[in-house]
Amino acid sequence: MNTVLDQAQIKQNLTEKLARYFGVTPDEANQEQVYKATILSVKDILAQKRADYKEQLKKQRKKTVYYLCMEFLIGRSLKNNLGNLGLTEIYRDVLSELGFSLESVYEREPDPGLGNGGLGRLAACFVDSLASLDYPATGFSLCYEYGLFKQMIVDGMQVELPDVWLPGGEVWLVPRTDRTFRVRFGGHIREEWKDGRMEVIYDDAEVIEAVPYDMMISGADSQGVSRLRLWKSRDIKNNFDMGLFTQGQYARAMEESTHADTISKVLYPSDNHHEGKLLRLTQQYFLCSASCQSIIRDHMAVYGTLDNLPDKVAIHINDTHPALVIPELMRIFLDEYHLSWEKAWDLVTRTVSYTNHTVMPEALECWNEDMFRSLLPRIYQIVKEIDNRWKEKLYKEAHAGAGRRHMENFKKNVGEKGGNELTRERNKLMTAYEAKKQEIKNYETNLTFFNSKSKKGNSLLGDLEKKVERLKEDLVMLAEKIAAVDEQIKADSKN
């Protein structure tokens, strides 16, 4: 749906932008000032269109799509937005009247250093298409200061230079300092039982602030305007050591702040060394944690309950990079909203979907367990629990199938026995049955003791409970065997 604006309105808007932001008239303005004034005027149009679109969505309460990807190869935005808004010719005429060429303004816009290849292009196409089809959608990624790199050939050799895009590209970004979130790394986890529920406490964790910068993505011939939210990392403590700085130790004075800034510094840092792998994992969790917190915050602000989350929210993770969305959502539900594991897992599995773009083993990320545990201690606990529960599920399914086959073979073998053999078999089974009952009793005594002395959620308690459950399954199997032998003895007595 094209935006209805006439040439006079566009000209007035551009003139006001030049005066307000640069203190110049159109006659005094240079190419850079006109380029930025043009984008600022288009941003105003998109902002109004998005506000109108959001007002409609509030009334309709539609399901919202959230799309997470480490990169969005969106390309230059000005030409695309003017085309989608149906304003290309009007802007061309206005700029020509002011003595500038629209094509020369296009050329001043840098390619945003937010994406690299097919994965990023796919993500950008999805966000663009969702807006064109009037689906309420938000993309999440990082606000990289530098793209992958610029390539130059010097004396026949490739030279990699930083892809500096923000000086010309940041004019599209809207800082949302009212929507910041905190992301924790490292430290140690303590669990305390308070007021009938478990509290998770972080000791000595590094806290980084995630600051969102929003970019609007217009749809073609539609009312929809998607939002691309880009997270920038910032030191939350403002750890600038004035004492070291006054002594001339400038690098050390800014060390902690520099470390925080590093997270969103570069797209795809080299990972052929430990520090690179650590930075990539840090980037991925930073993206997932900030995005999940933002999603849940927005949902609760509208609905006030998590019960309808899968009906109102669809979270899609693009490739393996944002896979930490799943344990991060579990952390939020368990630690902040105090849901049971079963309830939290049900919400996650009905809300999150996943696309994988390759089956090559080398493209599937694999993290050193010690590094993962050290950087993300709480997420590590949750991932281990997911893994344990999944293996337990597989064990039960396999055990149940094996148990059925075992009983069929047992009954067949019993049918071939008779007389004294059956009696001996029954006595052996009864001895095993009584021994198993006593073993269960002993474990249940230990379980009662630990329940009275330990906190809920203790891993030893969980192991004991699983052991008792398996022993009871074995007891049921023994009872079924005894019943099968009794049936055969009864059948033989009739014959």
Side-chain angles (χ1 to χ4, degrees), residues 61 63 149 191 259 270 292 300 414 433:
R61 295 204 164 192
K63 191 171 190 175
F149 59 81
E191 298 174 356
H259 173 66
S270 177
C292 287
M300 292 298 291
V414 165
Y433 183 83

Side-chain angles (χ1 to χ4, degrees), residues 224-242:
V225 179
S226 293
R227 175 182 62 182
L228 178 56
R229 174 157 285 185
L230 306 168
W231 298 103
K232 197 168 187 177
S233 55
R234 186 168 72 183
D235 175 30
I236 201 167
K237 298 178 183 176
N238 192 23
N239 283 320
F240 177 75
D241 194 319
M242 182 60 76

